[in-house]
Amino acid sequence: MRLVLPPRLTGSARILRDTARRRGLRITQLPDGTVPGELPDGDAHLHAGPSFADAVAPALGIAPLEAPADWLARLPAAFVRREVRAVPIREAYALRRPVFAKSPNDKSIPALVYTDGSRLPGPDAVDPDTVVLVSDVTVFDTEYRLYLLDGQVRTGSRYAASGRLDPAPLSASARAFGSELLAAAGHTLPSAIVVDVGTTDAGQWAVVEANAAWASGCYHSDPECALDVVLRAAGPRAQVTERDAAFVRG
């Protein structure tokens, strides 16, 4: 089994690399988005950002899993505590109120509060049919990252408090909310995924967003459990189950 990594490693990537090495996985850090002809061996896994994954995953036979672009918008209101819509960006241009907007599964549309739709990247920079998530502006007091595998919260970490980076161990209440979410909507997610949750300034638990496990930082999560999720989330295409086939990126 091989773990493929990009040229530059985040702190989380180094943690996962070292964890994989202790397990006996082969580690390959590519210098760029070009895959050497001798590398593919049918058992490669990936931890990298979306653009790098798009460049190397096909050549390596890797099938990265991710949540549907409109997943957050389709969740029941009790899990999001705000209005969330997935719309083509050409429709979002007409918004005339402050909104939080972002790309569903990459960073092509910066995740920011926009004073109105006219502040979004224009048609000269983004295809007008590009789907963007737009939501009410919501303040989260605390935010947690949950690593989910086969319908269970395997590990997690707090990553922010009062809007600032502040990693800390996973709380029991965050884990419980993640389990409640999985019981209600686990079937709408791939078997391996990261979901961020948090408490709003009104004291309510809510889902922040879903993220691809293969492109996520692990903070204070148990690296062994996080690696289990990453390996499933971006592994050999031939090993993708029928259940997960609908969640393969692009």
Side-chain angles (χ1 to χ4, degrees), residues 165-228:
L165 183 66
D166 189 14
L170 180 65
S171 72
S173 51
R175 181 184 288 273
F177 179 70
S179 297
E180 182 183 349
L181 172 68
L182 284 168
H187 63 285
T188 65
L189 289 166
S191 66
I193 191 75
V194 158
V195 171
D196 294 344
V197 303
T199 54
T200 69
D201 57 356
Q204 298 173 311
W205 280 99
V207 176
V208 178
E209 62 183 357
N211 289 293
W214 44 267
S216 295
C218 58
Y219 303 106
H220 283 189
S221 301
D222 181 323
E224 290 285 352
C225 294
L227 181 61
D228 287 339

Side-chain angles (χ1 to χ4, degrees), residues 21-197:
R21 187 173 281 148
R22 287 193 295 271
R23 284 195 192 182
L25 273 68
R26 290 167 287 173
I27 306 298
T28 299
Q29 188 173 354
L30 296 176
D32 53 37
T34 303
V35 177
E38 70 276 9
L39 183 59
D41 56 13
D43 199 14
H45 302 254
L46 179 70
H47 180 72
S51 59
F52 188 83
D54 290 342
V56 305
L60 291 168
I62 292 173
L65 305 179
E66 64 184 9
D70 63 349
W71 178 77
L72 189 65
R74 290 191 288 109
L75 278 181
F79 286 110
V80 291
R81 303 293 182 179
R82 62 201 186 277
E83 181 186 41
V84 184
R85 293 189 295 148
V87 298
I89 197 169
R90 54 181 163 75
E91 292 185 20
Y93 291 146
L95 293 169
R96 290 298 174 262
R97 59 183 174 85
V99 293
F100 178 81
K102 68 180 292 291
S103 296
N105 288 317
D106 57 40
K107 299 183 185 300
S108 59
I109 308 298
L112 297 170
V113 174
Y114 295 85
T115 53
D116 61 46
S118 69
R119 301 296 183 175
L120 288 161
D124 57 330
V126 180
D127 186 314
D129 289 327
T130 299
V131 173
V132 62
L133 287 175
V134 294
S135 68
D136 296 333
V137 178
T138 302
V139 175
F140 284 91
D141 285 342
T142 59
E143 296 171 72
Y144 293 84
R145 174 150 293 170
L146 306 177
Y147 279 81
L148 311 180
L149 183 65
D150 291 332
Q152 294 184 334
V153 179
R154 292 297 303 274
T155 186
S157 169
R158 189 180 77 189
Y159 63 88
S162 300
R164 296 184 178 182
L165 183 66
D166 189 14
L170 180 65
S171 72
S173 51
R175 181 184 288 273
F177 179 70
S179 297
E180 182 183 349
L181 172 68
L182 284 168
H187 63 285
T188 65
L189 289 166
S191 66
I193 191 75
V194 158
V195 171
D196 294 344
V197 303

